[in-house]
Amino acid sequence: MLELKHDLRLATTRDEQARMNFVSGLRSYVLNDMASGMRAAYDKDVEPAFRRDKRRAPKDGPEVHKAIRSNEYFKFYSSLRVTAQDMVWQSVFPPLERQRGDLKQRAQKLAGSRKLGSLKLDPSLPVPRSVSALDVHLMPGNYDGEYESGDLAAGALYDNGLAVFSFGLMGQNLDDIGQSISRFIKARYPKFKPARILDLGCTIGHNTGSWKDTYPDAQVIGIDVAAPCLRYAHARAQAQSRAVDFEQMNATELRYPDASFDVVFSSMFLHEVPRKDISRVIAEAHRVLKPGGLMLHMELPPNAQLSPYDAFYLDWDSSYNNEPYYKPFRDLVPQLVCKEAGFKSANYVQFVVPSIAWFGEQAVAEAVARQGQVDSDKTGRLADGLQWYCFGAWR
């Protein structure tokens, strides 16, 4: 598994580290070897049976899901994947519980010694039920779980759990999405010099800080509704010597003036937002962007751009991983959502950006050189190697 490279990482015993390594390896096996086996079972048995019965192939992801649900390989795959997901969090609990007090002390020490960036919390801010009522991707207590004054355990659970969960795919400090996309934007648009950058739904700020690395002269702000994650994000940024500002705020009601940002970004955020609120988030992004500013959301690609099987595969989380808004988001057409929010159709963009952690720095330059060829419907588990899909629009 990935070992985090900052001063807030949890110390583990050899047994705890071995357990985390096992869970990380199990997830890799399920998401790679078993996923390939499930596709082979679909091609060999499920899809031919559907054709014999319906005299046609499945037309979309839900039809694939319905057809494969009784397949023994699918049931084994899903059972093991859910079990492995739960084991991710269980592997982190013992060292986290042992070091909760020490984590708070380390965060306080960082705040007193480095004084980088700022943290503004709003105790009166209502946490949406889409957050408070769900343990998203089975994470106990979710992002907002708070058990004592100044608690930041939820942030530590997410950080260390994601390191186990991602089995090395997210980069040295889980920031590969932000690093890859921000550097791609800088290389593709060298005259674009953003002065203020906003990251929506930033959780622990792992991708927020990447924008500060890429544009060191810019003010970078990360917002989220979850106070424990923001406390941890602030301390984490200080541990990494990044001057990033964090504020507790709902992305559907930004407390910023019109035309006050050059970039509005999010990563794996919109699929955790109810459908009715997605339009509000994008409309707010449109409002706070300056003319010539860029909105960009990293997500998995929309279902309309995928084959029925690939759509089913990426929607698995919506049915089995406690992410009820996942599929409704991916059923949307991003171009239309951006247009409804006020963006001009001609200003819509989408990219598939190669992962720096997977391919290396040179891959970004090569992607920019390819220009039109970088736009694709493939990303993440569907691409050769690892690549990040993002969509958005210029203001």
Side-chain angles (χ1 to χ4, degrees):
M1 62 161 279
L2 170 75
E3 182 178 348
L4 297 172
K5 305 294 183 183
H6 60 70
D7 291 344
L8 286 183
R9 65 186 179 275
L10 296 175
T12 56
T13 66
R14 292 177 66 179
D15 282 351
E16 288 166 346
Q17 190 63 46
R19 187 176 298 114
M20 291 177 176
N21 289 342
F22 171 79
V23 175
S24 194
L26 178 61
R27 272 194 47 81
S28 177
Y29 175 74
V30 172
L31 271 293
N32 291 295
D33 300 70
M34 287 199 69
S36 296
M38 184 170 67
R39 179 60 194 257
Y42 173 78
D43 290 340
K44 179 177 180 293
D45 300 319
V46 177
E47 200 262 358
F50 187 96
R51 282 182 178 272
R52 286 194 298 270
D53 182 43
K54 303 290 186 181
R55 300 183 182 276
R56 61 174 175 82
K59 64 182 179 182
D60 55 24
E63 284 200 342
V64 173
H65 189 192
K66 185 176 180 180
I68 204 174
R69 193 176 292 165
S70 62
N71 179 269
E72 292 300 320
Y73 198 107
F74 168 75
K75 289 191 283 187
F76 183 44
Y77 167 89
S78 296
S79 176
L80 194 55
R81 185 169 168 185
V82 169
T83 300
Q85 181 80 359
D86 182 60
M87 290 171 69
V88 166
W89 312 115
Q90 297 303 324
S91 72
V92 176
F93 273 134
L96 174 57
E97 286 300 309
R98 190 174 65 249
Q99 296 169 71
R100 283 178 63 156
D102 181 57
L103 271 174
K104 287 176 66 174
Q105 291 179 3
R106 278 187 271 170
Q108 291 167 0
K109 184 177 179 180
L110 285 166
S113 63
R114 301 202 178 175
K115 303 184 186 302
L116 293 169
S118 64
L119 174 64
K120 297 178 183 178
L121 299 180
D122 180 3
S124 67
L125 181 75
V127 177
R129 280 189 55 77
S130 57
V131 175
S132 64
L134 285 173
D135 287 349
V136 178
H137 30 67
L138 308 183
M139 175 176 154
N142 206 30
Y143 308 118
D144 65 317
E146 215 167 344
Y147 307 102
E148 60 185 354
S149 175
D151 196 8
L152 43 71
L157 177 62
Y158 182 88
D159 196 15
N160 290 273
L162 186 57
V164 177
F165 170 93
S166 61
F167 46 91
L169 296 181
M170 297 289 187
Q172 189 178 61
N173 272 310
L174 307 175
D175 58 0
D176 183 64
I177 292 172
Q179 294 288 356
S180 302
I181 292 176
S182 63
R183 293 188 208 182
F184 172 80
I185 293 300
K186 184 175 183 178
R188 180 151 182 172
Y189 305 103
K191 294 182 180 179
F192 183 51
K193 307 289 185 183
R196 296 190 82 215
I197 298 170
L198 178 64
D199 184 8
L200 307 176
C202 68
T203 53
I204 58 170
H206 48 310
N207 289 305
T208 318
S210 303
W211 289 88
K212 186 68 175 178
D213 294 345
T214 302
Y215 296 101
D217 295 331
Q219 180 188 16
V220 178
I221 302 172
I223 69 162
D224 204 284
V225 297
C229 284
L230 290 173
R231 293 189 191 102
Y232 186 86
H234 178 51
R236 192 183 197 271
Q238 291 177 315
Q240 295 174 320
S241 299
R242 287 166 164 167
V244 178
D245 300 316
F246 294 97
E247 189 166 359
Q248 191 174 11
M249 192 181 302
N250 194 322
T252 62
E253 299 179 72
L254 298 175
R255 296 192 295 266
Y256 298 116
D258 296 356
S260 54
F261 286 92
D262 302 286
V263 173
V264 176
F265 171 75
S266 78
S267 56
M268 300 299 281
F269 167 63
L270 290 179
H271 75 262
E272 294 182 3
V273 176
R275 170 65 185 94
K276 62 183 176 62
D277 288 337
I278 291 173
S279 296
R280 295 172 63 188
V281 170
I282 296 181
E284 278 291 88
H286 181 269
R287 180 183 66 80
V288 301
L289 273 177
K290 300 175 185 177
L294 176 64
M295 176 187 72
L296 210 54
H297 301 282
M298 182 272 150
E299 285 286 350
L300 292 177
N303 281 324
Q305 296 186 34
L306 300 177
S307 71
Y309 183 87
D310 289 342
F312 143 76
Y313 182 72
L314 293 185
D315 280 337
W316 181 94
D317 295 81
S318 199
S319 298
Y320 304 102
N321 201 27
N322 223 18
E323 300 195 56
Y325 311 117
Y326 198 100
K327 184 182 186 306
F329 164 72
R330 295 188 57 252
D331 283 340
L332 297 175
V333 178
Q335 296 94 321
L336 296 180
V337 177
C338 292
K339 183 178 179 180
E340 291 167 1
F343 290 95
K344 295 179 180 178
S345 297
N347 291 344
Y348 176 82
V349 294
Q350 71 172 24
F351 310 113
V352 170
V353 179
S355 159
I356 289 176
W358 184 281
F359 292 104
E361 296 273 355
Q362 184 60 29
V364 170
E366 293 172 355
V368 171
R370 288 195 300 270
Q371 293 187 10
Q373 294 179 20
V374 78
D375 293 318
S376 165
D377 65 346
K378 300 295 185 185
T379 186
R381 289 165 282 175
L382 303 179
D384 293 329
L386 185 66
Q387 305 191 45
W388 308 118
Y389 170 85
C390 53
F391 76 91
W394 293 94
R395 179 73 162 90

